[in-house]
């Protein structure tokens, strides 16, 4: 990744978190519950009340990726 894009991504992420300050607390709490076999569900509801729903089941490889991401911070 281009270093300038990485800096821009960091800045955009910080702005997003400033707009939604409870999100990091949610992810921190949720990560304490995530292990192999956990199902993560994402639901989006538009202003017109259109719903899109998806889920994924965490596998062992996903958990190894999460552990590596934790080390990057």
């Amino acid at each position: 990744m281009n270093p300038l894009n990485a800096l821009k991504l960091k800045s955009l992420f910080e702005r997003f978190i400033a707009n939604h300050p409870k999100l990091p607390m949610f992810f921190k709490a949720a990560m304490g519950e995530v292990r192999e076999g956990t199902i993560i569900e994402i639901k989006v509801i538009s202003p017109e009340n259109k719903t899109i729903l998806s889920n994924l089941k965490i596998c062992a490889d996903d958990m190894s990726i999460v552990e590596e991401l934790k080390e990057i911070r």
Side-chain angles (χ1 to χ4, degrees):
M1 176 183 283
N2 178 326
L4 292 177
N5 285 342
L7 288 174
K8 183 176 181 179
L9 182 61
K10 182 178 186 284
S11 173
L12 292 170
F13 180 74
E14 288 169 350
R15 272 182 44 206
F16 188 82
I17 294 304
N19 290 337
H20 307 281
K22 292 182 182 179
L23 191 61
M25 292 181 287
F26 171 79
F27 281 125
K28 185 176 181 179
M31 287 311 298
E33 299 298 321
V34 174
R35 56 189 169 278
E36 189 174 348
T38 298
I39 296 174
I40 297 175
E41 187 169 87
I42 300 170
K43 182 177 183 178
V44 176
I45 304 171
S46 73
E48 297 79 30
N49 211 31
K50 180 181 177 187
T51 301
I52 300 171
L53 180 70
S54 186
N55 64 53
L56 56 101
K57 188 173 186 178
I58 301 298
C59 66
D61 188 48
D62 297 328
M63 290 307 302
S64 67
I65 292 168
V66 168
E67 292 304 317
E68 285 189 54
L69 288 171
K70 285 180 185 178
E71 293 175 12
I72 291 174
R73 290 195 286 158

